[in-house]
């Protein structure tokens, strides 16, 4: 399968048309941004890590009953996916306090929750992806009630599967962001990526950050963190 015209360029990926109207090719870049594009940089090798890691996670999740957009890995950076219209909601699951949760509620990072939490942001760069509740999402017709229920169910299932998987690699899954899409035949599937860009990973023993927070917070060792988490996920392959 070959890339045809470019359909879209995002902050971290490009999307191309293919000869099949129901399929696209996603191409992962090394570009990194934070704070809605205010901070810009390059993380060498990130595109390869995020592409290959996302595909491994999508395959695992399909096996566990979560439908995804994944079709076929073409190369280190390129993957065939089902063409979807993205539901403009960022779905965030948290197991441990960190990031905007810690800031918003004035608590320290690292508090382990009894139950995972879920929240939604309205995916809209001009507005800075504001937090949104499901009633507002319905009012704005971003999705139907049934779709939101299904998205919630899938998101918690993803958490169950990935939490256990990463723990087996000596990694705590602190929180993550998912995006869902609707296929041509109206099916809700997991889309976008599952990578150190979109998850917080802390080493079980040292709590060392193995994710994009190293870039967001200028902690140094950004490339090494991506390499380390990738080494752990590929070890068991
Ligand atoms: P937050 O604590 O900054 O709200 O981030 C929660 C999770 O979502 C974290 O794992 C990082 C991820 N995330 C994204 O994937 N994209 C984003 O634009 C932001 C702000 C967070």
């Amino acid at each position: 399968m070959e890339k045809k015209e470019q359909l879209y360029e995002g902050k971290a990926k490009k999307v191309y048309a293919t000869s099949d109207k129901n399929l696209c090719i996603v191409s992962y870049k090394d570009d990194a941004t934070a704070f809605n594009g205010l901070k810009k940089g390059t993380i060498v090798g990130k595109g390869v890590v995020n592409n290959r890691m996302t595909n491994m996670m999508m395959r695992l999740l399909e096996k566990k009953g979560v439908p995804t957009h994944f079709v076929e890995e073409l190369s280190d950076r390129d993957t065939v996916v089902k063409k979807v219209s993205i539901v403009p909601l960022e779905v965030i699951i948290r197991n441990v306090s960190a990031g905007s949760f810690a800031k918003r509620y004035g608590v320290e990072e690292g508090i382990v929750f009894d139950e995972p939490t879920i929240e939604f942001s309205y995916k809209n760069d001009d507005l800075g992806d504001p937090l949104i509740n499901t009633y507002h999402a319905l009012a704005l017709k971003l999705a139907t009630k049934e779709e939101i229920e299904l998205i919630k169910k899938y998101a918690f299932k993803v958490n169950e599967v990935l939490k256990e998987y990463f723990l087996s690699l000596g990694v705590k899954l602190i929180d993550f962001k998912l995006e869902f899409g609707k296929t041509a035949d109206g099916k809700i599937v997991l889309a976008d990526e599952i990578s150190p860009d979109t998850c917080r990973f802390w080493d079980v023993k040292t709590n060392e950050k193995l994710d994009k927070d190293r870039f967001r917070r200028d902690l140094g060792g950004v490339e090494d963190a991506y390499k380390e988490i990738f080494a752990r996920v590929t070890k068991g392959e």
Side-chain angles (χ1 to χ4, degrees), residues 85 147 150 181-189:
S85 58
E147 287 166 352
L150 199 54
K182 222 167 142 172
T183 59
D185 51 0
K187 220 175 113 191
I188 292 285
V189 297

Side-chain angles (χ1 to χ4, degrees), residues 2 37 50 88 97 126 129 158 161 167 176 182 201 223 232 236:
E2 277 173 33
N50 288 8
S97 68
D126 293 338
D129 299 340
V158 169
V161 172
L167 205 55
F176 57 92
K182 222 167 142 172
F201 299 122
E223 273 94 358
R232 292 197 201 184

Side-chain angles (χ1 to χ4, degrees), residues 44-155:
V44 177
K46 172 171 89 82
V48 176
V49 170
N50 288 8
N51 178 46
R52 294 201 45 209
M53 184 164 161
T54 293
N55 294 342
M56 291 174 65
M57 299 306 110
M58 295 283 177
R59 285 189 209 105
L60 172 65
L61 289 164
E62 284 275 359
K63 256 197 262 168
K64 302 284 185 176
V66 179
T68 80
H69 71 165
F70 175 75
V71 176
E72 184 193 1
E73 186 169 289
L74 288 181
S75 68
D76 269 1
R77 287 179 187 270
D78 293 349
T79 293
V80 182
V81 297
K82 288 176 194 150
K83 188 169 189 171
V84 297
S85 58
I86 290 287
V87 177
L89 291 171
E90 300 200 337
V91 184
I92 296 151
I93 297 270
R94 301 179 191 268
N95 296 303
V96 177
S97 68
S100 69
F101 182 97
K103 199 169 169 199
R104 182 177 318 115
Y105 300 119
V107 297
E108 66 199 279
E109 296 198 311
I111 301 165
V112 180
F113 302 148
D114 291 340
E115 297 283 338
T117 69
I118 190 164
E119 77 214 35
F120 299 92
S121 292
Y122 177 25
K123 194 172 149 65
N124 183 320
D125 279 343
D126 293 338
L127 301 176
D129 299 340
L131 207 58
I132 191 170
N133 71 33
T134 53
Y135 293 90
H136 292 177
L138 284 174
L140 293 170
K141 298 190 168 43
L142 306 184
T144 67
K145 230 178 192 166
E146 293 71 28
E147 287 166 352
I148 290 174
E149 281 313 307
L150 199 54
I151 285 171
K152 275 193 197 163
K153 190 182 97 176
Y154 288 154

Side-chain angles (χ1 to χ4, degrees), residues 92 94 98-101 175-177 197-200 216:
I92 296 151
R94 301 179 191 268
S100 69
F101 182 97
D175 57 30
F176 57 92
K177 185 262 302 178
D197 274 24
T198 61
C199 305
R200 286 195 173 94
R216 295 188 189 100

